[in-house]
Amino acid sequence: MAELLTESARREGLPPLGDTGWGAVPERDAIRKIWKFKSFSEAWGFMSRAALAAEKLNHHPEWSNVYNVVDVTLTTHDCDGLSALDLDLARRMDALAGDATVVHNHSETVECLCKLEARGKLEARGKLESRGKIEAGKPG
């Protein structure tokens, strides 16, 4: 069974992870990071590589994926908090993420590319409609 990080291990291990975008999870002894990749394929590739690293450690993240966004929370369930396994997996995931964009403000809404692309198409359509280039409500 994994053991909770000592205070000295926290002081030593958490600040460097914070510098890379990992943040504390409110009301939990856990850390979280959100990456935005260039595409779904890049996000999925990262998750596949991270899954292999997690299997080697026998330590598995709480994560979700929406198109190009991967949201990861790390905590060790058998000790109900952060352990050395979390720090190790966080560092491995950072190395695997490549040049993905890190979302530092976890309170902001993170939108995936598909929503941004759809919004862009709607905005472009609205501009065309307002210029009379296409008729409102008709396929354009």
Side-chain angles (χ1 to χ4, degrees):
M1 182 165 134
E3 295 184 16
L4 285 172
L5 289 174
T6 63
E7 286 305 313
S8 63
R10 287 170 188 270
R11 282 192 302 273
E12 182 180 323
L14 291 174
L17 290 176
D19 292 343
T20 70
W22 289 94
V25 176
E27 317 255 338
R28 289 185 70 190
D29 190 19
I31 55 176
R32 179 180 181 210
K33 188 168 183 176
I34 302 169
W35 289 275
K36 289 176 87 174
F37 293 86
K38 293 178 184 162
S39 67
F40 173 76
S41 180
E42 283 191 21
W44 191 264
F46 163 74
M47 291 180 76
S48 296
R49 292 184 301 276
L52 293 173
E55 279 294 304
K56 285 182 182 177
L57 292 172
N58 192 29
H59 186 59
H60 306 94
E62 296 172 14
W63 58 6
S64 65
N65 162 243
V66 177
Y67 192 65
N68 65 313
V69 177
V70 178
D71 186 340
V72 177
T73 297
L74 297 177
T75 191
T76 303
H77 297 109
D78 63 346
C79 69
D80 199 29
L82 289 171
S83 74
L85 289 168
D86 299 303
L87 303 186
D88 192 5
L89 186 55
R91 287 188 289 266
R92 290 178 190 219
M93 292 177 96
D94 282 342
L96 295 169
D99 62 351
T101 301
V102 176
V103 177
H104 291 276
N105 182 354
H106 294 179
S107 64
E108 71 183 24
T109 301
V110 180
E111 292 187 287
C112 67
L113 281 176
C114 55
K115 286 185 179 181
L116 295 174
E117 288 172 0
R119 184 180 308 125
K121 288 177 186 174
L122 286 174
E123 288 172 359
R125 180 175 177 76
K127 287 179 185 176
L128 290 173
E129 287 174 356
S130 69
R131 294 183 189 149
K133 302 284 183 183
I134 60 172
E135 194 175 327
K138 300 262 179 155

